[in-house]
């Protein structure tokens, strides 16, 4: 059972997570405070990865709740966060959109949809339960996107398309 009482919100670094643990926080909420408005902000997912890797390396993962608050829109987003060590996720925007459009029924439907998407993602990864999720189930691509260039040529012309 998760508890956000005695938790700190807005933790973005492993160093701050260790301080939170040392002062007795029961959990942290990993969030960049809506960093989408600051063009250079670090993603909450990158912060989660750093924090959970540090805690795992020191044998401290599981000593406090890691609640992830950062752009959850689909069940696959929940899967990624949980693989990286999150104890739970915030679904604020999905919740608000569903409530604004359809009230209580919309929220119930949104939570069901997220749960179903998470189950499908787990099934595709061959994982029967949340306790078996781990970072090794994710693939990370660090290279910047490079356009794909397709060339088609016939006797009269050459067509080059960059995607």
């Amino acid at each position: 059972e998760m508890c956000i009482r005695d938790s700190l919100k807005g933790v973005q670094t492993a160093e701050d997570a260790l301080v939170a643990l040392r002062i007795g926080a029961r959990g942290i909420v990993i969030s960049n405070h809506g960093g989408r408005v600051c063009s250079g902000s670090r993603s909450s997912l990158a912060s989660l990865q750093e924090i959970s890797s540090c805690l795992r390396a020191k044998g401290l993962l599981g000593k406090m709740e890691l609640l992830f608050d950062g752009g959850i829109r689909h069940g696959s987003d929940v899967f990624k966060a949980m693989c990286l060590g999150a104890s739970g996720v915030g679904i604020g925007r999905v919740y608000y959109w569903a409530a604004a459009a359809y009230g209580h029924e919309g929220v119930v439907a949104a939570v069901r949809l997220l749960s179903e998407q998470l189950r499908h993602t787990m099934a595709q990864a061959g994982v029967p339960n949340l306790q078996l999720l781990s970072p090794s189930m994710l693939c990370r691509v660090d290279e910047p996107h490079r356009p794909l260039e397709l060339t088609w040529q016939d006797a009269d012309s050459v067509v080059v398309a960059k995607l």
Side-chain angles (χ1 to χ4, degrees), residues 8-14 16-17 20 28-33 47 51:
L8 300 175
K9 181 176 181 186
V11 176
Q12 294 183 311
T13 66
D16 289 344
I28 58 174
V29 180
I30 300 164
S31 171
N32 65 5
H33 304 291
S47 294
I51 291 166

Side-chain angles (χ1 to χ4, degrees), residues 145-152 159-163:
H145 172 71
R146 289 186 295 222
L148 175 63
E149 189 172 293
L150 302 173
T151 305
W152 180 75
V159 176
V160 177
K162 291 187 179 183
L163 307 173

Side-chain angles (χ1 to χ4, degrees), residues 30-43:
I30 300 164
S31 171
N32 65 5
H33 304 291
R36 66 194 173 282
V37 298
C38 301
S39 62
S41 291
R42 181 179 197 198
S43 76

